[in-house]
């Protein structure tokens, strides 16, 4: 059922993931001004002549973003028609369009008008939410046709704890993006100490980096608590067990990649990109868990 929609959803999910990684690459290589202050053209040209590497990185990001943005709009309309009996699909369709438009406007605004690091960090956060909305739309196309939607049964206390976890995860994503945009990635040498200090302070680039470290470690602890909670009280619900374990493994991998960035002096491109990829995947997994946790009844 919905075979073509499923395939298209997978391709669109891969596309938004590529856009997200390209955005991380633009930030990492400092290519944000690779096309000057012109948008959507690059230095006023459709095809830049003798482009520098920064221009190629930035302009390819714009082109792919535009193509994937169009794909998301098509997916949203298609899902709205094919899955109109699924309330979640209608919500995700609307969100996916709003998020990709907002994401594009933030990117364009940063180029033409310039933006503060606070606003630029939001760009990556919106990208993570956009990825999650597309992934959930795709999952819903796979779920449709089953006798009943996938659900899990937990206490209100667990739901409240999970709400804190997913909200906090987004805050961690934001602090990481802020570190990149303030060029504070290497402000703390060493790990777990920061420049040989247990508490280096909370101001300036060092403070931004240190806050991100602390928030990241706390996220690891929260997801460990969630996994143990599930294994102790909900071990018969296999999907819930799998998601909680996967989330903990992802946040562990995220911590390892972050430490690797520090010890490799951010010289290995793939490590930095993996850092962005893992946290975005983790957020999508948490969003899926949120969807099945708060379902009330069958379609």
């Amino acid at each position: 059922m919905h075979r073509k929609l499923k395939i298209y959803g997978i391709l669109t999910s891969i596309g938004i993931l590529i856009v997200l990684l390209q955005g991380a690459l633009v930030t990492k290589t400092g290519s944000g001004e690779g096309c000057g202050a012109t948008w959507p053209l690059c230095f006023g040209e459709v095809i830049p002549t003798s482009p520098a590497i920064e221009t190629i990185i930035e302009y390819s990001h714009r082109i792919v973003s535009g193509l994937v943005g169009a794909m998301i709009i098509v997916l949203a309309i298609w899902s709205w028609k094919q899955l109109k009996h699924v309330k979640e699909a209608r919500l995700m369709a609307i969100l996916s369009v709003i998020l990709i438009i907002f994401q594009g406007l933030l990117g364009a605004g940063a180029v033409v008008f310039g933006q503060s690091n606070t606003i630029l960090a939001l760009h990556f956060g919106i990208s993570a939410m956009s990825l999650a909305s597309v992934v959930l739309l795709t999952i819903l196309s796979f779920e449709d046709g089953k006798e009943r939607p996938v659900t899990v049964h937990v206490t209100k206390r667990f739901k409240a704890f999970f709400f804190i976890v997913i909200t906090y995860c987004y805050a961690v994503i934001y602090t990481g993006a802020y570190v990149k945009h303030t060029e504070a990635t290497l402000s703390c040498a060493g790990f777990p100490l920061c420049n040989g200090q247990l508490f280096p302070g909370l101001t300036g680039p060092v403070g931004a980096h240190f806050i991100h470290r602390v928030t990241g470690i706390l996220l690891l602890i929260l997801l460990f608590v969630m996994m143990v909670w599930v294994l102790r009280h909900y071990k018969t619900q296999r999907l819930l067990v799998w998601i909680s374990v996967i989330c903990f493994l992802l946040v562990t991998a995220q911590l390892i990649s972050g430490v690797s960035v520090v010890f490799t002096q951010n010289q290995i491109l793939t490590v930095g990109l993996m850092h962005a990829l893992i946290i975005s995947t983790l957020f999508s997994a948490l969003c899926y868990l949120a969807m099945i946790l708060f379902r009330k009844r069958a379609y």
Side-chain angles (χ1 to χ4, degrees):
M1 193 173 184
H2 307 308
R3 181 173 177 273
K4 292 182 180 179
L5 179 59
K6 293 174 185 177
I7 295 174
Y8 186 79
I10 292 173
L11 293 176
T12 307
S13 298
I14 295 173
I16 190 68
L17 197 57
I18 292 173
V19 169
L20 190 147
L21 290 175
Q22 281 186 314
L25 180 61
V26 168
T27 302
K28 181 176 174 59
T29 57
S31 302
E33 297 181 358
C35 283
T38 59
W39 189 94
L41 300 180
C42 189
F43 293 116
E45 299 176 309
V46 176
I47 301 178
T49 55
S50 303
I53 184 62
E54 292 82 7
T55 301
I56 295 172
I57 293 173
E58 167 64 14
Y59 202 43
S60 61
H61 176 51
R62 292 188 189 183
I63 293 171
V64 175
S65 296
L67 292 174
V68 173
M71 289 179 67
I72 290 175
I73 293 173
V74 171
L75 177 66
I77 296 172
W78 195 349
S79 299
W80 185 282
K81 292 182 177 180
Q82 294 293 315
L83 307 174
K84 57 186 177 182
H85 53 289
V86 183
K87 286 185 177 180
E88 294 155 333
R90 296 198 295 270
L91 175 61
M92 288 303 114
I94 294 172
L95 281 177
S96 64
V97 173
I98 292 175
L99 288 170
I100 198 63
I101 292 175
F102 187 37
Q103 182 184 348
L105 290 175
L106 279 178
V111 170
V112 178
F113 305 109
Q115 297 284 3
S116 66
N117 291 323
T118 304
I119 299 299
L120 287 174
L122 183 62
H123 188 59
F124 184 78
I126 297 298
S127 297
M129 293 176 66
S130 182
L131 172 65
S133 66
V134 171
V135 168
L136 292 186
L137 261 183
T138 304
I139 291 174
L140 288 170
S141 69
F142 277 87
E143 281 190 358
D144 192 41
K146 295 182 178 180
E147 292 185 4
R148 61 182 65 182
V150 177
T151 56
V152 290
H153 303 284
V154 296
T155 61
K156 291 183 178 179
R157 185 181 175 189
F158 182 87
K159 288 183 178 180
F161 175 78
F162 174 79
F163 180 78
I164 293 172
V165 170
I166 192 171
T167 304
Y168 184 77
C169 180
Y170 188 78
V172 174
I173 291 175
Y174 182 84
T175 61
Y178 186 78
V179 165
K180 290 181 181 179
H181 284 289
T182 55
E183 298 182 356
T185 302
L186 299 178
S187 295
C188 274
F191 184 88
L193 298 180
C194 175
N195 299 329
Q197 297 178 296
L198 183 62
F199 181 68
L202 302 176
T203 59
V206 173
H209 187 120
F210 181 71
I211 289 172
H212 179 57
R213 283 192 182 190
V214 173
T215 55
I217 292 171
L218 182 54
L219 179 62
L220 175 75
I221 294 172
L222 287 173
L223 287 173
F224 177 74
V225 171
M226 186 178 81
M227 180 181 69
V228 172
W229 193 339
V230 169
L231 292 175
R232 289 187 61 182
H233 300 284
Y234 306 111
K235 58 184 178 182
T236 58
Q237 301 187 58
R238 295 182 62 183
L239 180 60
L240 185 57
V241 171
W242 273 107
I243 295 177
S244 63
V245 170
I246 288 172
C247 286
F248 178 70
L249 291 177
L250 285 172
V251 76
T252 302
Q254 176 71 0
L255 179 63
I256 292 172
S257 67
V259 173
S260 298
V261 167
V262 172
F263 283 109
T264 61
Q265 293 292 295
N266 201 27
Q267 293 299 310
I268 303 177
L269 180 63
T270 53
V271 175
L273 294 182
M274 283 300 296
H275 196 59
L277 173 64
I278 294 169
I279 193 64
S280 302
T281 305
L282 171 60
F283 186 69
S284 292
L286 288 174
C287 286
Y288 174 62
L289 181 53
M291 183 175 73
I292 62 177
L293 271 179
F294 292 96
R295 278 176 170 164
K296 294 183 179 180
R297 58 187 177 83
Y299 304 138

